Amino acid sequence: MFGIPGKQAVTMTEAAAAQIRKLMEAKGHKGLRIGVKKGGCAGMEYTMDYVDELTEHDEVVEDNGARILIAPMAQMFLFGTEIDYEVSLLEAGFKFKNPNVEDACGCGESIKFKDVEALAADLGKS
């Protein structure tokens, strides 16, 4: 929907791809849908859900056997994002390196995006 020919909407590190493959294989899911919703102290939060049925409006990104689907409403907000999976002594989880984020809360759970006009202008430059 907001793609640029020859460029994937999002990328994933090998660690993220391995974790997504593991999640897909565990229960036979077809992928992981990523989106955004209103919430959190900064205004927006990422969402992740298992996918059992593909829809025609999802942006599909496949890499190293892992499949990510980007919900239509989230495509503009996630374009250019690198998804990683990090493990530390205290936590493990997906991390989003998103160039469209203007600010984030202190806990890192919610984000604030650039305004829609700025995002559209940035996409036009790529």
Side-chain angles (χ1 to χ4, degrees), residues 51-121:
V51 175
D52 293 320
E53 295 296 324
L54 307 178
T55 69
E56 65 181 272
H57 300 293
D58 287 321
E59 177 76 23
V60 179
V61 176
E62 294 183 282
D63 191 15
N64 292 314
R67 181 180 296 127
I68 292 175
L69 295 94
I70 305 171
M73 193 282 285
Q75 292 174 10
M76 181 168 60
F77 297 105
L78 295 175
F79 194 82
T81 298
E82 178 188 67
I83 301 168
D84 193 11
Y85 187 79
E86 297 177 0
V87 177
S88 72
L89 290 174
L90 298 175
E91 65 181 0
F94 289 100
K95 303 293 180 190
F96 295 80
K97 296 173 185 158
N98 187 335
N100 306 308
V101 169
E102 182 176 81
D103 197 11
C105 69
C107 67
E109 294 295 320
S110 68
I111 63 273
K112 178 181 177 187
F113 291 104
K114 297 176 186 176
D115 64 57
V116 174
E117 290 82 19
L119 283 174

Side-chain angles (χ1 to χ4, degrees), residues 32-48:
L32 198 61
R33 180 173 288 114
I34 299 172
V36 294
K37 68 176 184 174
K38 290 184 179 185
C41 51
M44 299 288 280
E45 298 175 320
Y46 293 112
T47 62
M48 298 182 88

